[in-house]
Amino acid sequence: MSKIIAGGSHNSIPWQDKPEGYKYPVWRYDGNPIITRDNLFMANSIFNSAVVAFGKGFAGVFRVDLRTRDQVIVTGFSDDGINWKLNEKVIFEGYDPRICKIDDKYYLSWVKLTPKGTVIGIAYTRDFESWTELEEACYPVARNGVLFPRKINDEYMLLLRPCDRGHTPYGDIFIQRSKDLEYWGKYRFVMSPVKNWEMTKIGAGPTPIETDEGWLLFYHGVITSCNGFTYSMGAAILDRDEPWKVLYRADSYLLAPHEPYEVSGDVPNVVFPCAALLEEESGKIAIYYGAADTSVGLAFTTVDETVKYIKEHNLT
Ligand code: BMA
């Protein structure tokens, strides 16, 4: 049995048992999508968004593309992780937020827009009301900045995907380290696309999950077909002390756009995981993902099922 070591929620996370006879390790919530444009006035779409256990329930940071098509981030709260109330107040401009609790603060990392291209913005809050922005974590151009939920050997760690300004194939995951979340360095390469389903580019997804086997990392991978891009979700296990070392990695995706709300929307064929809620005792994991750049979907797995799948389908 694989175990989640830390980062569990004190509250019950959203959950549905795996449908009878379903053979794969990740299954969808049958009420998907859980968040749509109807959750917020003036939203064109609400998608790649991240949530975390907070107080007696959950809090989140949501990517909203407005009816002006400006890309902004707002906060939201939920008692059960499924029904969300979003706030109209914009906390930052940009997109694809992740949220990560380290000690007593919640750190937001997101794709911040600058005149020279996108960078990874970092800000923190204690209450989801007031935010303190820190130095940008890199120079342009990068996306998919994902913090680890604790320091490792006294250093904060950030996964990121250096890229260029467009949607061109330039997509490896790197890691960089910092003692103070201000100066970053000691870069290491983590992984490149390998299999067809992820061949165009890859990018880290939710905050890595600490397990007894290593850091469980869900990530997205993109394949280019004659019809455009398809974004799916894969998984790897990184070394607990030196997380740039990949111990295992599934050769195949764990979730891909198959349902109507994933294959059709503003950008068809996108499954883009940004957050996971955990239960340490049971090993349950609830994954939040953007669907077709239009809405938010929820999927479930357990640490045991996912780790087993990764090992049985390990990339060789
Ligand atoms: C990526 C990001 C994501 C988006 C995806 C598909 O480059 O912009 O926010 O979900 O493209 O459009």
Side-chain angles (χ1 to χ4, degrees):
M1 284 286 277
S2 308
K3 280 202 199 82
I4 295 171
I5 303 284
S9 163
H10 296 297
N11 319 315
S12 316
I13 66 169
W15 186 254
Q16 262 175 357
D17 287 336
K18 185 165 168 166
E20 191 106 4
Y22 191 74
K23 294 204 180 86
Y24 299 104
V26 175
W27 60 97
R28 293 169 178 81
Y29 176 57
D30 69 8
N32 275 351
I34 58 163
I35 298 168
T36 69
R37 61 173 65 90
D38 297 336
N39 282 69
L40 197 71
F41 181 59
M42 293 306 282
N44 166 79
S45 42
I46 306 173
F47 50 114
N48 308 344
S49 299
V51 305
V52 69
F54 178 72
K56 293 201 169 84
F58 304 93
V61 282
F62 297 84
R63 170 171 178 177
V64 179
D65 286 10
L66 295 168
R67 288 185 167 219
T68 54
R69 296 308 293 255
D70 289 338
Q71 300 162 325
V72 301
I73 297 170
V74 305
T75 58
F77 300 92
S78 172
D79 291 335
D80 60 6
I82 293 176
N83 296 289
W84 287 87
K85 189 166 178 331
L86 271 51
N87 297 319
E88 276 176 42
K89 186 178 163 219
V90 171
I91 55 165
F92 292 102
E93 298 202 338
Y95 58 91
D96 295 358
R98 314 303 205 271
I99 192 88
C100 177
K101 185 166 191 226
I102 310 177
D103 303 327
D104 63 341
K105 293 186 194 135
Y106 300 87
Y107 289 89
L108 165 72
S109 56
W110 82 104
V111 179
K112 182 178 170 182
L113 314 172
T114 78
K116 298 292 178 202
T118 56
V119 297
I120 308 303
I122 310 259
Y124 70 82
T125 186
R126 288 190 174 86
D127 55 9
F128 283 81
E129 300 282 336
S130 63
W131 294 82
T132 304
E133 187 172 352
L134 304 177
E135 286 295 315
E136 291 159 4
C138 60
Y139 57 82
V141 180
R143 293 202 278 263
N144 296 302
V146 174
L147 284 163
F148 282 71
R150 66 170 174 85
K151 285 183 173 178
I152 301 170
N153 298 322
D154 209 29
E155 291 173 320
Y156 295 98
M157 306 256 166
L158 180 79
L159 296 164
L160 77 174
R161 212 263 314 283
C163 53
D164 64 13
R165 292 189 193 197
H167 269 283
T168 45
Y170 186 51
D172 295 341
I173 298 177
F174 283 77
I175 203 166
Q176 61 183 30
R177 293 176 265 171
S178 173
K179 294 233 182 263
D180 54 10
L181 290 170
E182 189 175 354
Y183 295 93
W184 291 91
K186 295 169 87 175
Y187 309 94
R188 293 286 181 279
F189 165 77
V190 180
M191 59 191 198
S192 290
V194 176
K195 299 300 280 187
N196 282 341
W197 71 269
E198 58 181 2
M199 196 42 103
T200 302
K201 53 185 171 178
I202 55 175
T207 302
I209 299 167
E210 188 163 16
T211 77
D212 54 350
E213 303 271 353
W215 295 98
L216 171 58
L217 175 70
F218 292 106
Y219 67 96
H220 68 260
V222 183
I223 182 174
T224 308
S225 75
C226 60
N227 212 23
F229 295 130
T230 296
Y231 283 69
S232 306
M233 181 183 84
I237 298 173
L238 313 178
D239 186 86
R240 273 175 85 190
D241 294 319
E242 297 178 316
W244 48 93
K245 294 186 178 156
V246 179
L247 303 180
Y248 305 97
R249 180 171 166 191
D251 61 3
S252 37
Y253 62 71
L254 279 79
L255 191 72
H258 293 164
E259 293 298 317
Y261 54 90
E262 297 162 349
V263 299
S264 118
D266 281 357
V267 181
N269 302 315
V270 180
V271 156
F272 197 97
C274 288
L277 294 176
L278 321 173
E279 260 180 35
E280 281 165 42
E281 293 264 294
S282 63
K284 289 176 181 171
I285 302 176
I287 301 166
Y288 290 74
Y289 65 96
D293 283 16
T294 300
S295 59
V296 177
L298 180 59
F300 306 110
T301 186
T302 63
V303 65
D304 208 36
E305 288 218 43
T306 291
V307 169
K308 186 161 164 275
Y309 182 89
I310 297 171
K311 285 184 164 176
E312 282 176 5
H313 297 262
N314 191 27
L315 197 66
T316 46

